[in-house]
Amino acid sequence: MAPPPSSTSSAITLKINGEKHTLSVDHRTTLLDALRERLDLTGTKKGCDQGQCGACTVLLDGRRAVACLQLAVAAEDREITTVEGLAEGAQLHPVQQAFLDLDGYQCGYCTPGQICSAVAVIEEHAAGWPSAVTADVRPEAGVPALTADEIRERMSGNLCRCGAYVSIVQAVARAAEARVAEEAAA
């Protein structure tokens, strides 16, 4: 006779980096713990475990999310992208390449979260989303310039204990320029 179903756990299917993973999780399991402890996707880091440092940033349906505050059961049926899913084969994502080229990392602990956040920042900016430092937020003003101040504000939820901020800002700017050039060439 099979044991009765538990009221505190569920079998869920998570779509991560284009692959489906089915696992049984306690309802209190965070997406971060499911990724790291259950699926061995250790690129996403556990920093503060309180949603304040950004080390666990992943993309949920293309938008930034801190995985330590996201329950795994609530991520079912959503597209989850971790740092492991950004590259296409051996070809690094432009943000990953820019971080590598410009030393946008030091110890590397925060780097996966920084990179995932930067990918979303570039998309948010391209879509015309204003930030707290955007001077003119009227729709007719168009997309604001992606200045260093804009990048710093948009990336402010990701902390780097090593202080690689100058290189991180440069890497985000370079990747954003590459995105614009790619769109112009298409």
Side-chain angles (χ1 to χ4, degrees):
M1 186 186 234
S6 171
S7 62
T8 61
S9 65
S10 297
I12 61 171
T13 301
L14 299 175
K15 187 174 182 189
I16 305 165
N17 303 327
E19 293 183 27
K20 290 187 177 185
H21 301 270
T22 301
L23 59 156
S24 179
V25 295
D26 183 290
H27 293 156
R28 299 166 294 180
T29 302
T30 64
L31 179 57
L32 174 61
D33 288 338
L35 291 170
R36 291 186 56 79
E37 297 173 15
R38 302 292 306 281
L39 299 170
D40 288 328
L41 292 167
T42 57
T44 306
K45 303 298 188 225
K46 185 178 277 198
C48 67
D49 212 21
Q50 297 177 6
Q52 296 179 10
C53 73
C56 66
T57 303
V58 297
L59 303 176
L60 281 179
D61 298 328
R63 297 192 58 190
R64 296 181 272 181
V66 285
C68 70
L69 297 182
Q70 176 74 40
L71 294 176
V73 294
E76 191 167 29
D77 298 325
R78 299 185 70 189
E79 183 67 40
I80 302 162
T81 305
T82 67
V83 72
E84 293 96 340
L86 292 174
E88 292 188 28
Q91 180 70 36
L92 292 177
H93 185 281
V95 173
Q96 291 172 309
Q97 189 63 55
F99 267 69
L100 184 62
D101 293 345
L102 296 167
D103 294 327
Y105 55 87
Q106 283 190 15
C107 78
Y109 196 82
C110 72
T111 305
Q114 297 273 2
I115 288 172
C116 284
S117 189
V119 168
V121 160
I122 292 167
E123 293 304 315
E124 292 164 8
H125 173 263
W129 295 11
S131 79
V133 299
T134 302
D136 190 348
V137 297
R138 295 173 303 138
E140 59 271 14
V143 177
L146 192 58
T147 63
D149 285 342
E150 281 282 346
I151 294 169
R152 281 187 206 94
E153 172 60 29
R154 292 169 187 265
M155 292 290 294
S156 65
N158 292 82
L159 303 179
C160 174
R161 290 178 178 95
C162 299
Y165 295 114
V166 171
S167 297
I168 290 168
V169 169
Q170 291 172 347
V172 174
R174 179 178 287 178
E177 290 168 6
R179 183 187 189 283
V180 169
E182 183 180 298
E183 282 184 356

